Amino acid sequence: MTDSIGVREAGAKRTRKALLAAAAAEFVVQGVQAPIRDIAGRADVGVGTVYRHFPTRAELVTAVYRHQVDECAALAATLLQEPIAPSEALTRWIDAFIEFLVTKHGLGVALLSEDPSLLSLHTLMLDTLVPACASLIEAAAAAGELDPRVTAYTLMRAVGNLCIIGPEYDLASGKEMVGRLLAGCRRTT
Amino acid sequence: MTDSIGVREAGAKRTRKALLAAAAAEFVVQGVQAPIRDIAGRADVGVGTVYRHFPTRAELVTAVYRHQVDECAALAATLLQEPIAPSEALTRWIDAFIEFLVTKHGLGVALLSEDPSLLSLHTLMLDTLVPACASLIEAAAAAGELDPRVTAYTLMRAVGNLCIIGPEYDLASGKEMVGRLLAGCRRTT
Amino acid sequence: MTDSIGVREAGAKRTRKALLAAAAAEFVVQGVQAPIRDIAGRADVGVGTVYRHFPTRAELVTAVYRHQVDECAALAATLLQEPIAPSEALTRWIDAFIEFLVTKHGLGVALLSEDPSLLSLHTLMLDTLVPACASLIEAAAAAGELDPRVTAYTLMRAVGNLCIIGPEYDLASGKEMVGRLLAGCRRTT
Amino acid sequence: MTDSIGVREAGAKRTRKALLAAAAAEFVVQGVQAPIRDIAGRADVGVGTVYRHFPTRAELVTAVYRHQVDECAALAATLLQEPIAPSEALTRWIDAFIEFLVTKHGLGVALLSEDPSLLSLHTLMLDTLVPACASLIEAAAAAGELDPRVTAYTLMRAVGNLCIIGPEYDLASGKEMVGRLLAGCRRTT
DNA sequence: TATGAATGAGGGTTCATTCAT
DNA sequence: GATGAATGAACCCTCATTCAT
């Protein structure tokens, strides 16, 4: 009994994993608005299965990105422990944040969509990442290395926007612009 | 006969004007993906008329913004004539560029859409605005006021991205970030 | 110009007629909840056409029955003019009302559905038929031929309910029961 | 072995009871077309269990109402024993019948659905209740208190229909109409 | 030219039903 | 017996696009 339940639950978990992978892949190709049918098809399951695991698109999107969001947030604490200048810590964290953004093609666009179904994604990032970023900013500002008027949300949003790439504006361009933006945030002595 | 054709042409021109106005208005409300029918309705014409004048959505979008794009481009030459520092000229031009962007709700998003139907909008901006911006950059770089490695397209794209506003990231935030970005583009002596 | 518009409008009117006929027929077979596709199919048009003419199911249902509802309502005034006893007029009107109900298989059921999309059908009948029935009731009551406590809506609803037929309870049974109900509404001297 | 089977059977019986209770409750809220999953959920069992006990919806519906149907049928014999007029016995039985109908929200509608899955419910009522009602009618007719042409099924169906309530037609209205219907069934001397 | 009716592909969502464990 | 994950048919609705008048 326990076994058979375990087996089924394991199967469900595998399905869930497959769905997350399929959704992530489809998001890369089509963006977070990818048709549910396509996601189901890529995972080789019926549409009903998608709805069973993720009743709303928001829950699916959120689930897809939650793991990486958490990892990114955790990095902030780690960096603060390291024997490096606070502004250097911020720079490195922003690098990781960018990595997260760009590996998720279309996430940038999704973040600025006003579609209510994606609000929770916004909330997820706000609740998790903003405090992480804020801690780094505070440290850098306290060290006199950053203009203390810079706020975490605004900076993250700006970085996120700058990393929305396209034809003739690739990741390298985005990173260059982010670098210049950060330079402009440094304390003007 | 000639007369009646002339009359008809005049009518067609008026229809075209009305369509552009209607589309511009609808783009403000719904973004550039506004349903064709809504645009036709606002202009009080049939959908067929929209298609006759602008066979593709791209042509309509392009036409809507062309006039303002041209104006913005012309401003660069004017600014270069004025007795101000080249970097100041660039700053002012960027201000005007932002003004253009933000008065067109949704244009920012449109610019980064990969929808092929909007590619021509991209091209329009490239062909017209990039040279304008480049002339200002060149002047500022020549005056030693700007890092000469900054390219027009990348800068414009970055500015455009930074001005994609949303909840908790308003125009003021966008402008602030643009200011810091420009600061980061200044020549580092 | 006028002609061609006239032609198109005529075509649209014909389509509308065909849709009403198709819907009426489909309602007979499947009830008012018949899939829109089936109605479109029976009328040999695309689903979009159904939605163009009747944006909501309620509008379609209402339109299907409006003509007959109006006719039925008009009958009341006619009957009141005739040289017959008021209670006889009421009886005849109820007969006509029943005729209307039973020729529309499924209407009875629809009337008691709580589906909000059918509310307007309810309203239509209330607004149009209730006053008609009330005028007859009033006359009969004034003539001392009917219990004045009987109200139009309640009576109509009761008649409507009694005419919901099924296996082993045919129209004849329904009419018999209506007859007995009316007998029970007569003034008890 | 015998024991464990007995235990399992007892468990199955309990499950069945829980299912009937859950279904009855759900029918009150959503009508007899309530989703199977909702019923399973309320009974805290899996959907498969519902299907094991009641392979078709009809069987479930029938089982839910059988007990009360039986009770109602038994009442007829009781009433006939009492020292009251036969027509009074009929009236009281009809009252009980109404009570049964109205406490089951949606049963009225279900009875007139032509959904084949509900046919058996129909049969149940026919086989059990009709003879009960018929015995009362016969007695009343024999006593000269009722038109002998009234048949049990037709009367029950009519009463059932009159008790399908809705907005602006409440239970009181239904009962009033039933009263008038019964009045119209009295022997006309 | 202008019109707008008609089309139908496309994407969302629900739920009855099956079946492996 | 019980479970509940998976399936997919069936509906709903929107809108870009065509074309006869």
Side-chain angles (χ1 to χ4, degrees):
Chain A
M1 207 66 155
T2 309
D3 263 327
S4 75
I5 285 181
V7 168
R8 194 172 45 210
E9 276 174 359
K13 198 146 250 170
R14 238 177 301 119
T15 301
R16 191 190 153 87
K17 278 252 166 79
L19 273 176
L20 287 173
E26 213 59 37
F27 288 172
V28 168
V29 179
Q30 307 200 42
V32 286
Q33 299 290 5
I36 296 291
R37 266 184 186 69
D38 290 2
I39 295 166
R42 186 185 279 258
D44 260 316
V45 300
V47 280
T49 302
V50 181
Y51 281 98
R52 158 176 287 274
H53 287 276
F54 308 99
T56 68
R57 180 183 295 274
E59 285 172 73
L60 176 56
V61 173
T62 303
V64 164
Y65 294 121
R66 172 159 294 142
H67 179 62
Q68 285 165 303
V69 164
D70 287 343
E71 251 186 355
C72 191
L75 177 64
T78 307
L79 286 171
L80 280 177
Q81 307 293 330
E82 297 195 7
I84 53 176
S87 71
E88 171 65 14
L90 177 61
T91 301
R92 287 207 204 158
W93 188 82
I94 292 285
D95 280 349
F97 179 54
I98 291 176
E99 212 56 41
F100 163 61
L101 287 176
V102 300
T103 57
K104 311 296 136 194
H105 179 112
L107 177 56
V109 181
L111 276 178
L112 42 95
S113 155
E114 288 170 12
D115 188 322
S117 84
L118 295 174
L119 238 168
S120 65
L121 177 58
H122 219 259
T123 307
L124 168 67
M125 308 222 15
L126 239 68
D127 291 355
T128 314
L129 257 21
V130 166
C133 183
S135 68
L136 292 162
I137 287 179
E138 202 178 336
E145 298 170 357
L146 200 82
D147 187 328
R149 288 166 303 183
V150 174
T151 66
Y153 182 76
T154 300
L155 178 60
M156 285 171 57
R157 176 80 185 222
V159 170
N161 280 5
L162 286 176
C163 289
I164 299 166
I165 62 178
E168 313 227 18
Y169 180 83
D170 58 11
L171 182 54
S173 306
K175 284 183 172 173
E176 182 203 335
M177 291 295 110
V178 169
R180 294 189 185 277
L181 174 65
L182 285 176
C185 292
R186 296 258 150 68
R187 177 161 221 96
T188 356
T189 44
Chain B
M1 217 46 164
T2 310
D3 262 338
S4 79
I5 286 181
V7 167
R8 186 184 299 183
E9 277 174 358
K13 197 146 250 169
R14 239 179 300 119
T15 300
R16 192 188 156 86
K17 277 251 165 84
L19 271 176
L20 287 173
E26 212 59 39
F27 288 171
V28 168
V29 178
Q30 306 201 43
V32 285
Q33 300 290 1
I36 296 291
R37 197 184 307 280
D38 290 3
I39 295 165
R42 190 185 277 259
D44 262 316
V45 302
V47 280
T49 304
V50 180
Y51 279 95
R52 166 172 295 274
H53 285 276
F54 308 99
T56 69
R57 178 182 296 272
E59 287 171 71
L60 175 56
V61 173
T62 303
V64 164
Y65 294 119
R66 172 159 294 142
H67 179 62
Q68 285 165 305
V69 164
D70 286 344
E71 251 186 354
C72 191
L75 177 64
T78 308
L79 285 170
L80 280 176
Q81 307 293 330
E82 296 194 8
I84 52 177
S87 70
E88 171 66 13
L90 177 60
T91 301
R92 288 207 204 159
W93 188 82
I94 292 285
D95 280 348
F97 179 53
I98 291 176
E99 212 58 38
F100 163 61
L101 289 176
V102 300
T103 56
K104 310 296 139 196
H105 179 108
L107 177 55
V109 182
L111 276 178
L112 45 95
S113 155
E114 289 173 8
D115 188 323
S117 82
L118 294 174
L119 243 169
S120 65
L121 177 57
H122 227 259
T123 308
L124 166 67
M125 308 220 16
L126 239 69
D127 291 355
T128 316
L129 292 179
V130 167
C133 183
S135 68
L136 291 161
I137 287 179
E138 200 177 337
E145 297 169 357
L146 199 81
D147 186 327
R149 287 166 302 184
V150 173
T151 67
Y153 181 76
T154 301
L155 179 60
M156 285 171 57
R157 175 79 186 222
V159 170
N161 280 4
L162 285 177
C163 289
I164 299 166
I165 63 177
E168 313 226 19
Y169 180 83
D170 58 10
L171 183 54
S173 306
K175 285 184 172 172
E176 182 203 334
M177 291 294 110
V178 169
R180 294 189 186 276
L181 174 66
L182 286 176
C185 290
R186 296 258 149 68
R187 175 158 224 101
T188 357
T189 43
Chain C
M1 206 64 158
T2 308
D3 264 28
S4 76
I5 286 181
V7 168
R8 193 172 45 211
E9 275 174 358
K13 198 147 251 169
R14 236 177 302 119
T15 300
R16 192 190 154 88
K17 279 253 166 79
L19 273 175
L20 287 173
E26 213 59 36
F27 289 171
V28 168
V29 177
Q30 306 200 42
V32 286
Q33 299 290 5
I36 297 291
R37 253 200 241 311
D38 290 2
I39 294 167
R42 186 184 280 260
D44 261 314
V45 301
V47 281
T49 303
V50 181
Y51 282 98
R52 157 177 287 273
H53 287 276
F54 308 99
T56 67
R57 180 183 295 274
E59 285 172 75
L60 176 56
V61 173
T62 302
V64 164
Y65 294 121
R66 172 159 293 140
H67 180 63
Q68 286 165 302
V69 164
D70 286 344
E71 252 187 356
C72 190
L75 177 65
T78 308
L79 285 171
L80 279 177
Q81 308 291 332
E82 296 195 8
I84 53 176
S87 70
E88 171 65 14
L90 177 60
T91 302
R92 287 206 205 160
W93 187 81
I94 292 286
D95 281 349
F97 179 54
I98 291 175
E99 211 56 40
F100 163 62
L101 288 176
V102 299
T103 56
K104 308 297 135 194
H105 179 112
L107 176 56
V109 181
L111 276 178
L112 40 96
S113 156
E114 286 169 13
D115 187 322
S117 83
L118 294 175
L119 239 170
S120 65
L121 177 58
H122 219 260
T123 307
L124 167 68
M125 308 224 13
L126 240 67
D127 291 355
T128 314
L129 258 21
V130 166
C133 183
S135 67
L136 292 161
I137 287 179
E138 201 177 336
E145 296 168 0
L146 200 82
D147 187 328
R149 288 165 302 184
V150 174
T151 67
Y153 182 76
T154 301
L155 179 60
M156 284 171 59
R157 176 79 185 223
V159 170
N161 280 3
L162 286 176
C163 289
I164 299 165
I165 62 177
E168 312 227 21
Y169 180 83
D170 58 10
L171 182 54
S173 305
K175 285 184 171 174
E176 183 205 332
M177 291 294 109
V178 169
R180 293 187 186 278
L181 174 65
L182 285 177
C185 291
R186 296 258 149 67
R187 176 159 223 100
T188 357
T189 42
Chain D
M1 216 44 163
T2 310
D3 264 339
S4 79
I5 286 182
V7 167
R8 184 183 301 182
E9 275 173 357
K13 197 145 251 167
R14 238 178 301 120
T15 300
R16 191 188 156 87
K17 277 253 164 83
L19 272 175
L20 287 174
E26 214 59 39
F27 288 171
V28 168
V29 177
Q30 306 201 40
V32 285
Q33 300 290 1
I36 296 291
R37 196 184 308 279
D38 289 3
I39 294 166
R42 188 185 278 260
D44 262 315
V45 301
V47 280
T49 305
V50 180
Y51 279 95
R52 166 173 293 275
H53 285 275
F54 308 100
T56 69
R57 179 182 294 273
E59 286 171 72
L60 175 56
V61 173
T62 303
V64 164
Y65 293 121
R66 171 158 297 140
H67 179 63
Q68 285 165 305
V69 164
D70 286 344
E71 250 187 357
C72 191
L75 177 65
T78 308
L79 285 171
L80 279 177
Q81 307 293 330
E82 295 195 10
I84 52 177
S87 71
E88 172 64 14
L90 177 60
T91 302
R92 289 206 203 160
W93 188 82
I94 292 286
D95 280 349
F97 179 55
I98 291 175
E99 213 56 39
F100 164 62
L101 288 176
V102 299
T103 56
K104 310 296 140 192
H105 179 107
L107 177 57
V109 181
L111 277 177
L112 45 95
S113 155
E114 289 173 8
D115 189 324
S117 82
L118 293 174
L119 243 170
S120 65
L121 177 58
H122 225 261
T123 308
L124 167 68
M125 308 223 12
L126 240 68
D127 292 354
T128 315
L129 257 20
V130 166
C133 183
S135 68
L136 291 162
I137 287 180
E138 200 177 336
E145 295 169 359
L146 200 83
D147 187 326
R149 288 166 302 182
V150 173
T151 67
Y153 182 76
T154 301
L155 180 60
M156 285 172 57
R157 175 79 187 221
V159 170
N161 280 4
L162 286 176
C163 289
I164 299 165
I165 62 178
E168 313 226 20
Y169 180 84
D170 58 10
L171 182 54
S173 304
K175 285 184 173 175
E176 182 204 333
M177 291 294 110
V178 169
R180 294 188 185 278
L181 174 65
L182 286 176
C185 290
R186 298 257 149 69
R187 176 159 223 97
T188 356
T189 43

